[in-house]
């Protein structure tokens, strides 16, 4: 009887150890990789941010086998993001991504407001996407757009045009308005899908934003792209 009891207790202990280990691995991941991720992320922060951001809790997602470190700005803990350690050993800097995303949203909002004031265009009329050539590790989450940063812009005109000339009559004045905005736009693409074809569109693409009206017209053509 006592022997049977000891066997039962041993089995229960083994099950408990296995269960506890499984729970730990699901919550923390492999212990070696956990401390490796923590060390690599901390080293990355010290190299690129010094004491500007502080590393917080390190969490693990078993679905992607990825470690996430919460980070906050040293001078304002309300500004927070994360830095990721992938299974490949690469670092994903969501903090830097969030800075760029916020600044790009600011520029897009600025352009929306300007075009609404100048041409009475709303967000139903146009869709704006901006891309900034943002130098890394120089800005914080609450940094405002630096007007010295070059901008690439894409604007979709959400309306149907009966002809290329009809499209040009709207697109060219829009570009000319943007030329006086004061933002260093280095590349610009305007386009509008043809009503009869969801993949073809009128498109004006400029690599020089100081182009004349004649150059804008010459850069306007029908192209095929996928939505």
């Amino acid at each position: 009887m006592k022997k049977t009891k000891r066997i039962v207790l041993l089995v229960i202990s083994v099950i408990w150890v296995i269960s506890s280990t499984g729970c730990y691995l699901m919550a923390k991941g492999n212990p070696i990789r956990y401390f490796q991720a923590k060390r690599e992320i901390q080293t990355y922060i010290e190299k690129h941010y010094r004491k500007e951001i502080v590393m917080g809790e390190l969490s693990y997602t078993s679905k992607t086998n990825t470690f996430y470190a919460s980070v906050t700005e040293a001078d304002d803990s309300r500004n927070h993001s994360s830095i990721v350690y992938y299974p490949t050993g690469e670092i994903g800097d969501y903090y830097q991504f969030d800075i760029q995303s916020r600044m790009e949203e600011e520029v897009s909002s600025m352009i929306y407001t300007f075009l609404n004031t100048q041409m009475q265009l709303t967000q139903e009329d146009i869709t704006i996407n901006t891309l900034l050539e943002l130098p890394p590790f120089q800005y914080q989450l609450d940094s405002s757009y630096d007007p010295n940063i070059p901008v690439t812009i894409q604007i979709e005109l959400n309306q149907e045009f009966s002809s290329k000339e009809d499209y040009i009559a709207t697109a060219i004045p829009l570009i000319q308005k943007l030329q006086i905005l004061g933002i260093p736009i280095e590349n610009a693409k305007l386009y509008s899908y043809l009503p009869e074809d969801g993949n073809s569109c009128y498109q004006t693409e400029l690599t020089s934003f100081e182009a004349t009206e004649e150059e804008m017209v010459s850069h306007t053509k029908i192209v095929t792209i996928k939505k």
Side-chain angles (χ1 to χ4, degrees):
M1 187 70 178
K2 290 183 178 180
K3 184 177 180 181
T4 302
K5 186 176 181 180
R6 284 198 298 271
I7 293 173
V8 171
L9 290 174
L10 178 61
V11 170
I12 292 174
S13 298
V14 170
I15 293 174
W16 182 84
V17 169
I18 294 174
S19 177
S20 298
T21 303
C23 290
Y24 179 89
L25 291 176
M26 288 185 66
K28 299 288 188 180
N30 181 298
I32 296 176
R33 287 199 68 245
Y34 176 86
F35 288 106
Q36 182 181 20
K38 188 174 183 179
R39 182 182 67 250
E40 293 293 335
I41 293 174
Q42 188 62 54
T43 299
Y44 177 88
I45 290 173
E46 291 173 357
K47 177 181 178 181
H48 296 294
Y49 298 106
R50 298 183 181 179
K51 296 182 179 181
E52 292 180 9
I53 63 175
V54 179
M55 179 176 169
E57 180 181 353
L58 183 67
S59 59
Y60 173 73
T61 300
S62 58
K63 187 175 181 179
T64 57
N65 193 24
T66 302
F67 293 89
Y68 293 82
S70 62
V71 295
T72 58
E73 292 180 353
D75 57 356
D76 191 343
S77 59
R78 294 172 299 177
N79 294 332
H80 55 85
S81 185
S82 60
I83 294 178
V84 181
Y85 185 77
Y86 293 110
T88 58
E90 295 178 299
I91 297 289
D93 193 337
Y94 282 19
Y95 175 74
Q96 195 65 214
F97 174 81
D98 289 342
I99 291 173
Q100 174 136 356
S101 296
R102 290 189 182 192
M103 208 172 284
E104 288 172 348
E105 288 176 5
E106 179 188 354
V107 174
S108 293
S109 178
M110 190 187 308
I111 295 172
Y112 272 123
T113 301
F114 178 78
L115 292 177
N116 178 256
T117 302
Q118 296 290 318
M119 301 182 68
Q120 290 72 56
L121 294 173
T122 69
Q123 294 190 25
E124 294 182 357
D125 301 318
I126 54 176
T127 301
I128 299 174
N129 288 300
T130 56
L131 177 65
L132 302 181
E133 297 179 20
L134 193 68
F137 318 121
Q138 294 188 24
Y139 300 94
Q140 294 182 310
L141 284 171
D142 57 359
S143 296
S144 296
Y145 168 66
D146 180 348
N148 293 312
I149 299 174
V151 178
T152 294
I153 183 172
Q154 289 189 5
I155 299 179
E156 179 181 358
L157 304 176
N158 302 322
Q159 59 190 104
E160 296 182 358
F161 297 97
S162 58
S163 65
K164 180 179 176 181
E165 290 70 26
D166 188 23
Y167 161 80
I168 288 175
T170 297
I172 302 306
L174 191 155
I175 295 174
Q176 290 172 330
K177 290 294 183 183
L178 290 177
Q179 287 177 325
I180 65 172
L181 179 57
I183 292 178
I185 301 176
E186 292 197 342
N187 297 283
K189 181 169 75 174
L190 274 69
Y191 61 98
S192 177
Y193 286 97
L194 275 64
E196 68 274 9
D197 184 349
N199 290 327
S200 297
C201 66
Y202 298 115
Q203 177 178 289
T204 307
E205 190 163 9
L206 302 172
T207 54
S208 172
F209 216 62
E210 297 179 355
T212 64
E213 182 173 346
E214 291 75 17
E215 290 172 327
M216 295 178 201
V217 172
S218 68
H219 283 82
T220 299
K221 52 191 174 182
I222 296 177
V223 299
T224 300
I225 59 177
K226 292 184 179 180
K227 286 187 177 181

